[in-house]
Amino acid sequence: MKCQSRSHLIGLALVPVLMLGLSACLPPSTEGLRPDQGSSPATPGTSQPLQPTAAAPTAAQPVGPAGPGAPQANAPVVQWLPIGPIGPNDPTSGQRYLLLQQFQCDALAQSVEGAEDAAVWQAGAAVCRALQSGSQQDWQLASNAVGATPQIPQSKCLEFRVAVTAASLVAQHRSNPQATFNVQPGQGQACPRQLVGLTVVDKDLRPVPGTARATGPSTGGTIVRLDGYYVRVAEVLFDGVPADVDFVGDRQDYGTVYLRMPPANGRDSVRISITDTVDVAGTVTFFYDDSGVSTSSLPPSAPTTTAPATQPPDVPTAPATSVEPSPTAAP
């Protein structure tokens, strides 16, 4: 009887030990965890929830919307129109240029209907459509429109840039008619602001012929035209110093600026520069010379067709021009 009681007591004492050993063999509890936080490893047939990851950066889109003419891998790269510059007070040509630069082909074509200078803009719109669609029919229409464009003087800076770009793209298509181009923005500016010349004019603001350089008497009064491309002349500097100059005629954005030269006050020449809404490169020089009669007092010359002052920097200026290189770069 005592032996049986002793065995019963020993069995009761071993129960906790056995329970502890068995608990070590059980899998860990998943109570309180989400289904995707279980401890067992995933098997090949088990679906695992996706974890959020950082979005990969996307490549920059080429100029113009994607469409049937979207470029393929290794497509030839062509240059589209560069920036203008463009501003809120731009003349009509600036507004049209902005539409074309942004590939609003149809809006541009509608805006120039009936305009006297529609041909160059219609050619630009036709090339714009051809680049978007890539169709041979549109390229043929673009080629016809470019061929019908009259010669554009370089003095019309934005129109000249459109004509050159349209003709260049048509030529590139002809050399590779099956290609779908990868269109990239043009480099630089279509019309960088620069002062490139100085032209002596008469009282009717017409250029005085036969003068080798911008020259006038030391008593002052010679009227000169500032040649180049500028939007709004804020200041005129004489030898680097802002001057209180006598402007002649109206001053408007993109308009030609004329000024009356002051007396020499002992100077043989004066170097002229200007400021605009952005930096303007270039300086020009006016020379004082009493050996002849003031060119501004000469009788009006015969009507002469001249380029407006706001012309691109590579345009040849009138004979009465003196140009000096500027140490500053074009904006």
Side-chain angles (χ1 to χ4, degrees), residues 18 43 53 57 78 82 91 97 151 200 213 221 251 290 330:
L18 291 174
T43 61
T53 57
V78 296
Y97 187 91
Q151 185 175 0
V200 175
R213 61 182 184 178
R251 296 172 58 195
D290 291 325

Side-chain angles (χ1 to χ4, degrees), residues 95-188:
Q95 300 168 16
R96 293 171 178 171
Y97 187 91
L98 184 59
L99 288 175
L100 188 58
Q101 187 198 23
Q102 295 180 346
F103 268 78
Q104 300 184 43
C105 320
D106 294 336
L108 172 63
Q110 294 173 4
S111 72
V112 299
E113 290 181 357
E116 294 182 359
D117 60 344
V120 63
W121 299 107
Q122 289 172 344
V127 173
C128 174
R129 293 192 193 99
L131 288 172
Q132 286 182 310
S133 69
S135 75
Q136 296 302 317
Q137 181 180 2
D138 283 343
W139 274 113
Q140 184 59 50
L141 293 174
S143 178
N144 295 341
V146 168
T149 303
Q151 185 175 0
I152 305 298
Q154 292 183 348
S155 58
K156 293 186 175 181
C157 184
L158 295 176
E159 292 90 337
F160 181 79
R161 175 66 70 172
V162 170
V164 170
T165 301
S168 173
L169 290 172
V170 166
Q172 292 181 70
H173 168 73
R174 289 173 179 168
S175 65
N176 193 358
Q178 302 305 319
T180 301
F181 295 128
N182 180 2
V183 186
Q184 298 295 330
Q187 301 299 315

Side-chain angles (χ1 to χ4, degrees), residues 54-313:
T58 57
Q61 295 296 319
V63 173
Q72 306 300 321
N74 301 321
V77 176
V78 296
Q79 300 293 322
W80 187 233
L81 297 172
I83 59 176
I86 304 296
N89 297 324
D90 279 1
T92 304
S93 59
Q95 300 168 16
R96 293 171 178 171
Y97 187 91
L98 184 59
L99 288 175
L100 188 58
Q101 187 198 23
Q102 295 180 346
F103 268 78
Q104 300 184 43
C105 320
D106 294 336
L108 172 63
Q110 294 173 4
S111 72
V112 299
E113 290 181 357
E116 294 182 359
D117 60 344
V120 63
W121 299 107
Q122 289 172 344
V127 173
C128 174
R129 293 192 193 99
L131 288 172
Q132 286 182 310
S133 69
S135 75
Q136 296 302 317
Q137 181 180 2
D138 283 343
W139 274 113
Q140 184 59 50
L141 293 174
S143 178
N144 295 341
V146 168
T149 303
Q151 185 175 0
I152 305 298
Q154 292 183 348
S155 58
K156 293 186 175 181
C157 184
L158 295 176
E159 292 90 337
F160 181 79
R161 175 66 70 172
V162 170
V164 170
T165 301
S168 173
L169 290 172
V170 166
Q172 292 181 70
H173 168 73
R174 289 173 179 168
S175 65
N176 193 358
Q178 302 305 319
T180 301
F181 295 128
N182 180 2
V183 186
Q184 298 295 330
Q187 301 299 315
Q189 288 186 339
C191 304
R193 303 182 197 188
Q194 292 192 13
L195 179 62
V196 300
L198 192 66
T199 300
V200 175
V201 299
D202 59 26
K203 294 179 180 180
D204 294 323
L205 305 183
R206 293 179 295 190
V208 176
T211 51
R213 61 182 184 178
T215 305
S218 60
T219 54
T222 303
I223 302 175
V224 294
R225 183 186 72 192
L226 301 179
D227 297 325
Y229 185 82
Y230 44 81
V231 176
R232 185 181 308 124
V233 175
E235 285 185 319
V236 176
L237 293 78
F238 289 163
D239 294 327
V241 179
D244 184 14
V245 299
D246 181 11
F247 291 101
V248 179
D250 296 332
R251 296 172 58 195
Q252 299 178 349
D253 286 359
Y254 293 92
T256 304
V257 173
Y258 300 87
L259 56 92
R260 195 184 309 273
M261 294 302 299
N265 293 329
R267 294 176 292 191
D268 294 328
S269 64
V270 58
R271 180 170 49 87
I272 301 173
S273 57
I274 61 175
T275 64
D276 199 329
T277 53
V278 298
D279 291 340
V280 179
T283 62
V284 293
T285 301
F286 179 83
F287 297 89
Y288 290 104
D289 185 359
D290 291 325
S291 60
V293 180
S294 171
T295 53
S296 292
S297 64
L298 293 176
S301 58
T304 305
T305 302
T306 59
T310 53
Q311 57 188 2

